Amino acid sequence: MANQKILRDVKLAAIHLYEQGILRLHEILECIGFSRCMFLHIRKLYKHTGDVIKPRSAFTGCPRNLNLGDVQYLIELVHHHPDWFLDELAGLLLRNRFVAVHSTTIHRELHCAGISLKKLRKIAKE
């Protein structure tokens, strides 16, 4: 069973069958189809955490420099002054929100918010 996902219920059943002495280890491994090494790894994880799967980290992906309030502040600045450069926006973020970010981060956040150069030109004409 190389590189196949083993269901949580199957892992728990194997652990319980072994710990309660219902089946011997080689019988469990033969029925379920994973290696002794995998079983021992799952059992060790079960003893340490109380579960047969690794807990997922709350911090997945890239850490974000700007929170929602910072992004909303940027959007308001852009709507009021669409002719400002990114470095000017970075300076305002530093002075008013105490957040130091690179102009690339500001560009990426504005792009994710749906603000493009085309939309900025349209806002500037108004």
Side-chain angles (χ1 to χ4, degrees), residues 16 46 61 81 90 116 121 125:
H16 290 301
Y46 182 71
H81 303 281
S116 64
R121 286 183 183 150
K125 285 182 180 179

Coordinates of all heavy atoms in Angstrom, one line a residue, residues 16 46 61 81 90 116 121 125:
H16 N -7.1 -0.5 18.1 CA -8.0 -1.1 19.1 C -7.9 -2.6 19.1 O -7.9 -3.3 20.1 CB -9.4 -0.6 19.0 CG -9.6 0.8 19.4 ND1 -9.3 1.3 20.6 CD2 -10.0 1.9 18.6 CE1 -9.6 2.6 20.7 NE2 -10.0 3.0 19.5
Y46 N -0.7 7.7 18.3 CA -1.9 7.6 19.1 C -1.6 7.7 20.6 O -2.4 8.3 21.3 CB -2.6 6.2 18.8 CG -3.8 5.9 19.6 CD1 -5.0 6.6 19.2 CD2 -3.9 5.0 20.6 CE1 -6.2 6.4 19.9 CE2 -5.1 4.8 21.3 CZ -6.2 5.5 20.9 OH -7.4 5.2 21.6
G61 N 0.2 28.2 5.1 CA 0.4 29.2 4.0 C 1.3 30.3 4.5 O 1.9 30.2 5.5
H81 N -7.1 59.1 -3.6 CA -5.9 59.6 -4.3 C -5.3 58.5 -5.3 O -4.3 57.9 -5.0 CB -4.8 60.1 -3.3 CG -5.2 61.1 -2.4 ND1 -5.3 62.4 -2.7 CD2 -5.7 61.0 -1.1 CE1 -5.8 63.1 -1.6 NE2 -6.0 62.2 -0.6
A90 N 3.0 53.1 1.0 CA 3.8 52.4 2.0 C 4.1 53.4 3.1 O 4.1 53.0 4.3 CB 5.0 51.8 1.4
S116 N -7.1 47.4 -10.3 CA -6.1 47.3 -11.4 C -5.7 48.7 -11.9 O -6.3 49.7 -11.5 CB -6.6 46.5 -12.6 OG -7.7 47.1 -13.2
R121 N -7.1 54.3 -13.4 CA -7.2 55.4 -14.4 C -8.7 55.9 -14.5 O -8.9 57.1 -14.7 CB -6.7 54.9 -15.8 CG -5.2 54.8 -15.9 CD -4.8 54.3 -17.3 NE -3.4 54.2 -17.3 CZ -2.7 53.3 -18.0 NH1 -3.4 52.5 -18.9 NH2 -1.4 53.2 -18.0
K125 N -10.0 59.8 -13.6 CA -10.7 60.6 -14.6 C -11.9 61.2 -13.9 O -12.4 62.3 -14.3 CB -11.1 59.8 -15.8 CG -9.9 59.6 -16.7 CD -10.4 58.8 -18.0 CE -9.2 58.5 -18.9 NZ -9.7 57.8 -20.1

